[in-house]
Amino acid sequence: MNHIIIGIEGLVGAGKSSICRDLTKIIPNTVLLEGGNLYRAIVYAMTSKGITVEELYKRGDKLDIKEMMDLFLVKIKIENNETKFYINEQLISEEKLQSKEASLAVSTIGGKANNKKLFQFAKNLIDELKKENNVIVSGRSLMKIYPNLDYHFFITASLEERIKRKNIQYEGKVEKQQLKQNIIKRDELQKEAGFYDIYENTITIDVTNCKNSQESAKKVLEHIVVGP
């Protein structure tokens, strides 16, 4: 069987993670590699040791993210077709990975740090997973990490819809005005870092009017052909 690799990027709050998880349930023999959460796990490991985002930002491209991953004992494991992240064998909760603080920290640091070794690590991992599975990869700079993606999607939605979805994610614990400011700030940082770049083979999917993640996933699925 010829396995395929699907890369999914998109605007902050457009629902990339939910779409990816739904696709793994639809496309047979598929695993999900959440590159964004890997980055979040590494940044969380550093900041939980008292290193501030400002300190990390100042280090710029001298901050080797893969070296930090190894130094702080961050591990990635595939469990039930999804990725889980550990620090010194302790599972990092989804709540910590998806917190607004972690999200903003990653957006701030991601475009400044040295990601070269981490990207190579990710490419090698994708190659290994592809031997026995279809692979869905979510994250940023996926075309730079793996130029031979079979599909590259960019998910978009209106600002209002993204605020609504983030409000649901945070269970209304964050004021909508603050959510709006956080999303706009992260959009600026992501665009500045080149994380919103569109390529010749990129398929842009607007999910503003989708009622749920299942509808969004089906819009993506319309463009995918899975081999025998």
Side-chain angles (χ1 to χ4, degrees), residues 11 50 52 72 79 100 123 147 176 204 212 214 218 223:
L11 299 179
T52 67
F72 288 93
E79 300 175 0
K100 61 183 179 62
K123 182 183 184 304
K176 287 187 177 181
T204 301
N212 50 48
Q214 289 83 8
K218 287 179 181 178
H223 299 271

Side-chain angles (χ1 to χ4, degrees), residues 15 28 33 42 50 60 90 93 102 104 137 145 152 160 169 172 202 205 210 220:
L33 177 58
I42 299 168
Q90 295 295 313
S93 70
L104 187 56
V137 188
I145 295 171
H152 181 242
E160 291 74 17
Q169 179 183 343
T202 303
I205 305 288
C210 293
V220 173

